[in-house]
Amino acid sequence: MMPRGDMRFSCGSGELGAGFASVAGQRPLVVANTCSDSVATLPAAARMIDGLRVLWVDAHGDFNTPETTGTGYLGGMALAGACGLRRTGHGGEVSPARVALLAARDIDPPEEALLAQAGVHRFVAGAEPETVLAALGEGPIWLHVDWDAMEPGTVPAAYSVPGGLTPGRLRAFLAAIPPQQIAGVELAEFEMPGTAQAAQGAIATILDIVGPLLPPRAMSRG
């Protein structure tokens, strides 16, 4: 068991959702293939962590429902499901009023209406950390980063949209979050490049961005 301040690494929502009791008092780090894993991870976290806030860093709102989605893509409904707007079988304990959406810039009109009705806080990519954190309040924060939140060409992601965060900007934002507030971290939607050299460069960029969140020994592991 790792002390608070270290991170328990996990892949996949089932493992985290089923094993949350065993990592209570620790800080999980989830590396997910798609945002759809959050359908399970966020409600599980909200059940275990009183007053949980969610900082959702994403080019998209992921707040569609089966009635509003134009594609049927599960990842595009992930946050809405975690907030109880649709039945998922995993619960919907996340309070929309405790969610801040950062850098979202590709949102469907019906999704816009749902976000407004639910009271989700929304911030552009250039928002100051102090403004976003003030909206979330002083409670524990679950951080979700979809790499399509980044400016295209910085971190490979499937659904990149122009106007995103630069690596330096996101790193500075993460460094501004008080460490004691970070309850868990999940990173999603990284697209592995086709060459080893490009993959190494992309992974190095990601590690630099999330460096403020990781304990030193996690950064030094081979």
Side-chain angles (χ1 to χ4, degrees):
M1 299 290 285
M2 301 180 198
R4 181 86 177 172
D6 279 351
M7 288 186 170
R8 168 78 51 102
F9 288 76
S10 175
C11 294
S13 59
E15 179 184 342
L16 184 68
F20 241 124
S22 69
V23 298
Q26 300 175 38
R27 186 185 297 159
L29 171 60
V30 181
V31 179
N33 182 35
T34 73
C35 293
S36 57
D37 276 12
S38 301
V39 169
T41 57
L42 291 186
R47 287 192 293 270
M48 293 296 300
I49 305 167
D50 291 338
L52 186 70
R53 279 79 169 150
V54 175
L55 177 54
W56 190 270
V57 186
D58 199 313
H60 308 88
D62 293 349
F63 215 71
N64 273 304
T65 68
E67 292 73 32
T68 65
T69 179
T71 64
Y73 179 55
L74 183 59
M77 299 183 274
L79 184 56
C83 290
L85 272 68
R86 65 184 185 87
R87 291 186 178 182
T88 66
H90 297 286
E93 289 85 351
V94 175
S95 169
R98 290 176 173 170
V99 175
L101 186 57
L102 177 65
R105 52 205 183 274
D106 185 11
I107 299 178
D108 302 323
E111 190 180 20
E112 291 264 13
L114 289 176
L115 286 164
Q117 292 167 9
V120 173
H121 303 280
R122 291 181 55 188
F123 299 93
V124 298
E128 293 299 324
E130 295 79 8
T131 304
V132 179
L133 294 173
L136 284 173
E138 297 183 356
I141 295 172
W142 187 271
L143 173 66
H144 170 97
V145 177
D146 179 333
W147 293 113
D148 70 15
M150 308 298 294
E151 182 66 20
T154 55
V155 175
Y159 306 107
S160 295
V161 181
L165 295 155
T166 63
R169 178 69 182 175
L170 182 54
R171 190 183 198 282
F173 196 106
L174 300 182
I177 304 173
Q180 67 273 15
Q181 276 194 265
I182 300 174
V185 178
E186 56 188 32
L187 310 174
E189 301 282 1
F190 172 64
E191 290 281 314
M192 184 66 74
T195 68
Q197 182 177 4
Q200 290 173 357
I203 292 170
T205 298
I206 288 175
L207 289 175
D208 182 65
I209 291 170
V210 302
L213 304 175
L214 301 179
R217 72 178 179 211
M219 294 292 290
S220 65
R221 286 174 183 160

